[in-house]
Structures are given as structure tokens and as C-alpha cells.
Amino acid sequence: VEKVIMLAQRGAALPMSAARYSEISPAGGRSVNGAYLQQFSVAYEFPVIFTSGLFSPDNRVLVDVLDRIESNKRHRLMVFIDQGVLGSNPDIVHALRLYADAHPNKIELVCPLVPLPGGEGSKQGLDHVIEMQRTMVEYHMDRHSFVLAIGGGALLDAVGLAAATAHRGIRHIRIPTTVLSQNDSGVGVKNGVNLFGQKNFFGTFCPPFAVLNDIDLLEKLPHRDKRAGMAEAIKVALIRDKDFFAWLERSAPQLAVFERGAMAYMIQRCAELHMRQIGQGGDPFEAGAARPLDFGHWAAHRLELLSRFEVRHGEAVAVGIALDTEYSMLSGLLERDEADRVWRLLEALGFTLWHSELEAGHSQDHPLLQGLRDFREHLGGELTVTLLRRLGVGIEVHEINESLMLQALANLRTRHQS
Ligand SMILES: NC(=O)c1ccc[n+]([C@@H]2O[C@H](COP(=O)([O-])OP(=O)(O)OC[C@H]3O[C@@H](n4cnc5c(N)ncnc54)[C@H](O)[C@@H]3O)[C@@H](O)[C@H]2O)c1
Ligand SMILES: [Zn+2]
């Protein structure tokens, strides 16, 4: 401590008052008392491509993406795959080998596909991340090589983290295989794993090299996961796009039976709205407190934890949407008939809007309310929650009345029982 104080006293430039920083030119310009303002910006861009038959030898999407920056070379690829995907699509191993064989001057698979457990298990702690990085070292992956991740959102998060922190960033390509990862998490810029009992505690912001969404990869996805991902589409429609909400209402019968055309449009539009928010919302790396894309998520994250991840992320988001919609209505922001439309859509798509983990009496120490406090802490002190003003219009609030929230929760239970 003494050393630090001495340095501060000796350096004539320290301490600088905040106001003085405005006088400093960026490095290269005039310095003030030996202080420079370092400043640069980095533009990010990555393609998000919707396709089918991604690994058909005549589909050039993957090979063109690999060629995007360094086109005159053979690219080294390491592939991590979700065991759930592998279980339901065992042919994928052969298909990828054939694809590489069809493009011998462009693709070198450095090793056989590496299977990893799918679902939340792949991102519990750092074990899988370390294992992946060990494999990267073994096969001499460098910053010009590619790590491909084929799987659900959980696996993409874990592989993305392993790639982002190996050599300070190996290029990674996401190939999402769930509705949720195609329409939401996969097109985002975050990765991470759960640590110290906290979801996504250990993670980075690191945009992928590309995102390749193949609708065929969803064919064998269990119905439960096909449905879960639709919650994110309802979420983003509610805060950003009333026409999309109306489309979801009209298309509910087709979506409820996972009709391919309706699913494809729902996924693409939802991904587009997420991309727009991240790219044009002014805060891609979430420096500020407002998180519009986290509508319904404070309760969702808490419910996932309470259920020890028995309840899927999307299923929990559906409950979070129902709860924050009900609260928006109770607090006088949203008309009752609009709140009812949200409720009807969630039900028409087959979501269960009550779970046993929520049965904990209705006192101020209800375990769900801890989710609000955690969320406040996660944001750095000031709570910012998105509620609904109208269908398609979100609104940021900084205070939640806990008694009213408990009332909203009680209403959810009553509706579920009736
Ligand atoms: N990074 C972000 O911005 C972000 C955003 C939202 C959610 N997430 C994370 O995403 C995760 C949830 O992802 P998810 O909903 O995609 O589910 P998931 O990754 O948990 O996968 C669910 C199950 O489906 C299996 N599976 C995946 N694809 C399959 C396929 N095609 N066929 C058969 N089985 C398949 C998996 O093995 C797993 O058992 C959560 O951990 C959540 O925190 C991250
Ligand atoms: Zn989500």
C-alpha cells in the first residue's frame, strides 16, 4: 500500500481529475502532464447464414465462410459436437468427412469430431473448457485455425469460451442445433460457463467468425426443445415488433405442431431482431444497465437455478414473460386485453406457465425474488428491468414493487389452476 501511495505522490501527473481527461488528446496528440488518452475502435462483422443441407458436398456455405478472410489456403478445422445431436443424427460424422473430402484443397479436419455432453452439463464449471483447450494444444490449433461448434446453446457457450480464451482468441464458427440457439443465443456475442453456483459467471464477449443455421439440423430435435426456443421469439416480438407478435398469434396452430415453413420464418425473424438490437442498439457488450433482450429473464434465470436446470432456459423464459407481463398489467402499464393475448399465445404454443419450484408460499422471502436481487447485482447496483408498455413496446423501469410482483406470481398460479 505504501508503495502505491509513494508512486502516486511522486508522479506529477497523478491524480487527474475527471474533468481534465477532456483536455487530453488521443495518443499521438498533445499530452497533459504526461497523460495520454489511448483510443481505438474495432469494427466487428460476421455472417449469419440460413441454409439447409449444410454438409451436402455441393453446399458451398461452409467452404465460402472459411475462405472469407484468407482465401488462398487450406483451413485447419477442429469440430466439437453435442452428444445429443450426434445421438439423433449419427450420419453427421460421415457427412462431415465426405464434405471435407469434397473440398480437399480447402479443409483439413485436424482430428475426428470431438463429442461433448450437451445441455447445461457442458457448461457446469471449467472441466470441459480445459479439456477442449488441451485438445486444441495437442493438435496445434493457432489463431488462424477454426473451431467449429455443433450443438445447442449450452455447448456453443462452452466452446465459444474455450476458443475465445485459447491463444487469446481462435476463430470459432457456430452451428446451432436448437431453435433457441438458432434464433437467439447463437447470433449473439456472448459465451460462458456456470461457476461458483452462478450462471454464466465465467465468460467473455467474443463475436464468432460466422453463424451457420441449418434448418435440417432441427428435424430430430425433441419437441420440448422445439417449443422452448419459441419463447425467445415471443420475447423479442413483445419488446420490439408488434407485427411479428401478430404473426406469431396467427401462426400459432402451425407453430404448435412445428410446421417447417412457420418454424423457419419464426427463427429467421427472431434472429434478425436480436441481431438488430445487438448491432444497432448501441451497447453490444452490455456496458450499460439496460438489457431489453433480457425481458422476462430475471425470473427465468432464477427458475432455471431453482429447478437445477430441469426447466429449460426457453421454458423458464416463457414463465418469466408471463410473470412480467402480468406485473406490467398490475402496475398499470399494460392494458388487460393485451396481457391476455400474451397469455393466450404462450398457452397456444403449449408452454407450462407454472412449475412446482414456484410453490414457496407468497412471503417476501420467496426464492424467486432473490432473482431480482441477483439481477440488480449483476447489473452493478441499479436495477433495470424491461416491462411492457404495449404489445411490441418495451419500457425500462428501475424499481419493482415486490408485493405487486408476488401478486403477479399468485395470479399466474390461479390462472394455471383454472
Ligand atoms: N450466449 C448467449 O447469449 C445465450 C443466450 C441465451 C441462452 N444461452 C444459453 O443457452 C443454453 C440453452 O440452450 P438451448 O436451449 O439451445 O438448449 P441446450 O443447449 O441446453 O440443449 C438442450 C438439449 O438438446 C440436445 N440437443 C441439441 N441439439 C439437438 C438436436 N438437433 N437433436 C437432438 N438433441 C439436441 C442437447 O444435447 C441437450 O440435451 C443455456 O445455457 C443458456 O444460458 C446463451
Ligand atoms: Zn434467453
mmCIF file with all atom_site columns, all heavy atoms in Angstrom, residues 233-244:
data_model
loop_
_atom_site.group_PDB
_atom_site.id
_atom_site.type_symbol
_atom_site.label_atom_id
_atom_site.label_alt_id
_atom_site.label_comp_id
_atom_site.label_asym_id
_atom_site.label_entity_id
_atom_site.label_seq_id
_atom_site.pdbx_PDB_ins_code
_atom_site.Cartn_x
_atom_site.Cartn_y
_atom_site.Cartn_z
_atom_site.occupancy
_atom_site.B_iso_or_equiv
_atom_site.pdbx_formal_charge
_atom_site.auth_seq_id
_atom_site.auth_comp_id
_atom_site.auth_asym_id
_atom_site.auth_atom_id
_atom_site.pdbx_PDB_model_num
ATOM 1  N N   . ALA A 1 233 ? -38.726 -15.856 -29.306 1.00 0.00 ? 233 ALA A N   1
ATOM 2  C CA  . ALA A 1 233 ? -39.385 -15.119 -30.393 1.00 0.00 ? 233 ALA A CA  1
ATOM 3  C C   . ALA A 1 233 ? -40.520 -14.261 -29.827 1.00 0.00 ? 233 ALA A C   1
ATOM 4  O O   . ALA A 1 233 ? -40.691 -13.094 -30.215 1.00 0.00 ? 233 ALA A O   1
ATOM 5  C CB  . ALA A 1 233 ? -39.910 -16.091 -31.447 1.00 0.00 ? 233 ALA A CB  1
ATOM 6  N N   . ILE A 1 234 ? -41.273 -14.840 -28.894 1.00 0.00 ? 234 ILE A N   1
ATOM 7  C CA  . ILE A 1 234 ? -42.357 -14.064 -28.261 1.00 0.00 ? 234 ILE A CA  1
ATOM 8  C C   . ILE A 1 234 ? -41.748 -12.878 -27.512 1.00 0.00 ? 234 ILE A C   1
ATOM 9  O O   . ILE A 1 234 ? -42.226 -11.741 -27.598 1.00 0.00 ? 234 ILE A O   1
ATOM 10 C CB  . ILE A 1 234 ? -43.183 -14.950 -27.298 1.00 0.00 ? 234 ILE A CB  1
ATOM 11 C CG1 . ILE A 1 234 ? -43.791 -16.115 -28.073 1.00 0.00 ? 234 ILE A CG1 1
ATOM 12 C CG2 . ILE A 1 234 ? -44.262 -14.135 -26.595 1.00 0.00 ? 234 ILE A CG2 1
ATOM 13 C CD1 . ILE A 1 234 ? -44.538 -17.101 -27.196 1.00 0.00 ? 234 ILE A CD1 1
ATOM 14 N N   . LYS A 1 235 ? -40.651 -13.161 -26.804 1.00 0.00 ? 235 LYS A N   1
ATOM 15 C CA  . LYS A 1 235 ? -39.978 -12.105 -26.036 1.00 0.00 ? 235 LYS A CA  1
ATOM 16 C C   . LYS A 1 235 ? -39.602 -10.914 -26.918 1.00 0.00 ? 235 LYS A C   1
ATOM 17 O O   . LYS A 1 235 ? -39.947 -9.768  -26.632 1.00 0.00 ? 235 LYS A O   1
ATOM 18 C CB  . LYS A 1 235 ? -38.719 -12.681 -25.385 1.00 0.00 ? 235 LYS A CB  1
ATOM 19 C CG  . LYS A 1 235 ? -37.807 -11.634 -24.772 1.00 0.00 ? 235 LYS A CG  1
ATOM 20 C CD  . LYS A 1 235 ? -36.385 -12.139 -24.629 1.00 0.00 ? 235 LYS A CD  1
ATOM 21 C CE  . LYS A 1 235 ? -35.631 -12.108 -25.955 1.00 0.00 ? 235 LYS A CE  1
ATOM 22 N NZ  . LYS A 1 235 ? -34.237 -12.586 -25.857 1.00 0.00 ? 235 LYS A NZ  1
ATOM 23 N N   . VAL A 1 236 ? -38.892 -11.211 -28.008 1.00 0.00 ? 236 VAL A N   1
ATOM 24 C CA  . VAL A 1 236 ? -38.373 -10.098 -28.810 1.00 0.00 ? 236 VAL A CA  1
ATOM 25 C C   . VAL A 1 236 ? -39.510 -9.402  -29.579 1.00 0.00 ? 236 VAL A C   1
ATOM 26 O O   . VAL A 1 236 ? -39.490 -8.184  -29.777 1.00 0.00 ? 236 VAL A O   1
ATOM 27 C CB  . VAL A 1 236 ? -37.203 -10.571 -29.718 1.00 0.00 ? 236 VAL A CB  1
ATOM 28 C CG1 . VAL A 1 236 ? -37.681 -11.341 -30.909 1.00 0.00 ? 236 VAL A CG1 1
ATOM 29 C CG2 . VAL A 1 236 ? -36.310 -9.410  -30.126 1.00 0.00 ? 236 VAL A CG2 1
ATOM 30 N N   . ALA A 1 237 ? -40.545 -10.173 -29.953 1.00 0.00 ? 237 ALA A N   1
ATOM 31 C CA  . ALA A 1 237 ? -41.709 -9.557  -30.592 1.00 0.00 ? 237 ALA A CA  1
ATOM 32 C C   . ALA A 1 237 ? -42.368 -8.583  -29.613 1.00 0.00 ? 237 ALA A C   1
ATOM 33 O O   . ALA A 1 237 ? -42.738 -7.463  -29.980 1.00 0.00 ? 237 ALA A O   1
ATOM 34 C CB  . ALA A 1 237 ? -42.700 -10.638 -31.026 1.00 0.00 ? 237 ALA A CB  1
ATOM 35 N N   . LEU A 1 238 ? -42.501 -9.007  -28.358 1.00 0.00 ? 238 LEU A N   1
ATOM 36 C CA  . LEU A 1 238 ? -43.186 -8.169  -27.366 1.00 0.00 ? 238 LEU A CA  1
ATOM 37 C C   . LEU A 1 238 ? -42.478 -6.848  -27.109 1.00 0.00 ? 238 LEU A C   1
ATOM 38 O O   . LEU A 1 238 ? -43.124 -5.827  -26.887 1.00 0.00 ? 238 LEU A O   1
ATOM 39 C CB  . LEU A 1 238 ? -43.329 -8.939  -26.041 1.00 0.00 ? 238 LEU A CB  1
ATOM 40 C CG  . LEU A 1 238 ? -44.469 -9.947  -26.011 1.00 0.00 ? 238 LEU A CG  1
ATOM 41 C CD1 . LEU A 1 238 ? -44.424 -10.785 -24.734 1.00 0.00 ? 238 LEU A CD1 1
ATOM 42 C CD2 . LEU A 1 238 ? -45.827 -9.240  -26.125 1.00 0.00 ? 238 LEU A CD2 1
ATOM 43 N N   . ILE A 1 239 ? -41.160 -6.867  -27.150 1.00 0.00 ? 239 ILE A N   1
ATOM 44 C CA  . ILE A 1 239 ? -40.469 -5.597  -26.849 1.00 0.00 ? 239 ILE A CA  1
ATOM 45 C C   . ILE A 1 239 ? -40.178 -4.767  -28.091 1.00 0.00 ? 239 ILE A C   1
ATOM 46 O O   . ILE A 1 239 ? -39.930 -3.576  -27.994 1.00 0.00 ? 239 ILE A O   1
ATOM 47 C CB  . ILE A 1 239 ? -39.156 -5.819  -26.056 1.00 0.00 ? 239 ILE A CB  1
ATOM 48 C CG1 . ILE A 1 239 ? -38.206 -6.751  -26.827 1.00 0.00 ? 239 ILE A CG1 1
ATOM 49 C CG2 . ILE A 1 239 ? -39.441 -6.350  -24.663 1.00 0.00 ? 239 ILE A CG2 1
ATOM 50 C CD1 . ILE A 1 239 ? -36.776 -6.671  -26.322 1.00 0.00 ? 239 ILE A CD1 1
ATOM 51 N N   . ARG A 1 240 ? -40.204 -5.403  -29.295 1.00 0.00 ? 240 ARG A N   1
ATOM 52 C CA  . ARG A 1 240 ? -39.725 -4.678  -30.466 1.00 0.00 ? 240 ARG A CA  1
ATOM 53 C C   . ARG A 1 240 ? -40.641 -4.656  -31.692 1.00 0.00 ? 240 ARG A C   1
ATOM 54 O O   . ARG A 1 240 ? -40.481 -3.823  -32.558 1.00 0.00 ? 240 ARG A O   1
ATOM 55 C CB  . ARG A 1 240 ? -38.380 -5.276  -30.937 1.00 0.00 ? 240 ARG A CB  1
ATOM 56 C CG  . ARG A 1 240 ? -37.179 -4.895  -30.088 1.00 0.00 ? 240 ARG A CG  1
ATOM 57 C CD  . ARG A 1 240 ? -36.787 -3.446  -30.306 1.00 0.00 ? 240 ARG A CD  1
ATOM 58 N NE  . ARG A 1 240 ? -35.670 -3.044  -29.452 1.00 0.00 ? 240 ARG A NE  1
ATOM 59 C CZ  . ARG A 1 240 ? -35.802 -2.510  -28.248 1.00 0.00 ? 240 ARG A CZ  1
ATOM 60 N NH1 . ARG A 1 240 ? -37.003 -2.298  -27.733 1.00 0.00 ? 240 ARG A NH1 1
ATOM 61 N NH2 . ARG A 1 240 ? -34.737 -2.157  -27.548 1.00 0.00 ? 240 ARG A NH2 1
ATOM 62 N N   . ASP A 1 241 ? -41.566 -5.622  -31.825 1.00 0.00 ? 241 ASP A N   1
ATOM 63 C CA  . ASP A 1 241 ? -42.206 -5.755  -33.129 1.00 0.00 ? 241 ASP A CA  1
ATOM 64 C C   . ASP A 1 241 ? -43.635 -6.309  -33.007 1.00 0.00 ? 241 ASP A C   1
ATOM 65 O O   . ASP A 1 241 ? -43.829 -7.523  -32.952 1.00 0.00 ? 241 ASP A O   1
ATOM 66 C CB  . ASP A 1 241 ? -41.322 -6.679  -33.996 1.00 0.00 ? 241 ASP A CB  1
ATOM 67 C CG  . ASP A 1 241 ? -41.800 -6.780  -35.432 1.00 0.00 ? 241 ASP A CG  1
ATOM 68 O OD1 . ASP A 1 241 ? -42.951 -6.374  -35.719 1.00 0.00 ? 241 ASP A OD1 1
ATOM 69 O OD2 . ASP A 1 241 ? -41.029 -7.290  -36.264 1.00 0.00 ? 241 ASP A OD2 1
ATOM 70 N N   . LYS A 1 242 ? -44.603 -5.401  -33.001 1.00 0.00 ? 242 LYS A N   1
ATOM 71 C CA  . LYS A 1 242 ? -45.978 -5.857  -32.787 1.00 0.00 ? 242 LYS A CA  1
ATOM 72 C C   . LYS A 1 242 ? -46.495 -6.670  -33.979 1.00 0.00 ? 242 LYS A C   1
ATOM 73 O O   . LYS A 1 242 ? -47.331 -7.554  -33.818 1.00 0.00 ? 242 LYS A O   1
ATOM 74 C CB  . LYS A 1 242 ? -46.911 -4.686  -32.462 1.00 0.00 ? 242 LYS A CB  1
ATOM 75 C CG  . LYS A 1 242 ? -47.201 -3.738  -33.599 1.00 0.00 ? 242 LYS A CG  1
ATOM 76 C CD  . LYS A 1 242 ? -48.259 -2.754  -33.124 1.00 0.00 ? 242 LYS A CD  1
ATOM 77 C CE  . LYS A 1 242 ? -48.678 -1.701  -34.131 1.00 0.00 ? 242 LYS A CE  1
ATOM 78 N NZ  . LYS A 1 242 ? -48.108 -1.631  -35.442 1.00 0.00 ? 242 LYS A NZ  1
ATOM 79 N N   . ASP A 1 243 ? -45.987 -6.359  -35.181 1.00 0.00 ? 243 ASP A N   1
ATOM 80 C CA  . ASP A 1 243 ? -46.428 -7.131  -36.350 1.00 0.00 ? 243 ASP A CA  1
ATOM 81 C C   . ASP A 1 243 ? -45.961 -8.585  -36.239 1.00 0.00 ? 243 ASP A C   1
ATOM 82 O O   . ASP A 1 243 ? -46.681 -9.509  -36.621 1.00 0.00 ? 243 ASP A O   1
ATOM 83 C CB  . ASP A 1 243 ? -45.869 -6.523  -37.646 1.00 0.00 ? 243 ASP A CB  1
ATOM 84 C CG  . ASP A 1 243 ? -46.476 -5.159  -37.914 1.00 0.00 ? 243 ASP A CG  1
ATOM 85 O OD1 . ASP A 1 243 ? -47.537 -4.865  -37.319 1.00 0.00 ? 243 ASP A OD1 1
ATOM 86 O OD2 . ASP A 1 243 ? -45.883 -4.376  -38.685 1.00 0.00 ? 243 ASP A OD2 1
ATOM 87 N N   . PHE A 1 244 ? -44.752 -8.750  -35.739 1.00 0.00 ? 244 PHE A N   1
ATOM 88 C CA  . PHE A 1 244 ? -44.241 -10.114 -35.555 1.00 0.00 ? 244 PHE A CA  1
ATOM 89 C C   . PHE A 1 244 ? -45.071 -10.829 -34.481 1.00 0.00 ? 244 PHE A C   1
ATOM 90 O O   . PHE A 1 244 ? -45.388 -12.009 -34.607 1.00 0.00 ? 244 PHE A O   1
ATOM 91 C CB  . PHE A 1 244 ? -42.756 -10.058 -35.176 1.00 0.00 ? 244 PHE A CB  1
ATOM 92 C CG  . PHE A 1 244 ? -42.077 -11.402 -35.050 1.00 0.00 ? 244 PHE A CG  1
ATOM 93 C CD1 . PHE A 1 244 ? -42.359 -12.450 -35.926 1.00 0.00 ? 244 PHE A CD1 1
ATOM 94 C CD2 . PHE A 1 244 ? -41.114 -11.625 -34.054 1.00 0.00 ? 244 PHE A CD2 1
ATOM 95 C CE1 . PHE A 1 244 ? -41.715 -13.691 -35.812 1.00 0.00 ? 244 PHE A CE1 1
ATOM 96 C CE2 . PHE A 1 244 ? -40.464 -12.851 -33.934 1.00 0.00 ? 244 PHE A CE2 1
ATOM 97 C CZ  . PHE A 1 244 ? -40.772 -13.885 -34.812 1.00 0.00 ? 244 PHE A CZ  1
#
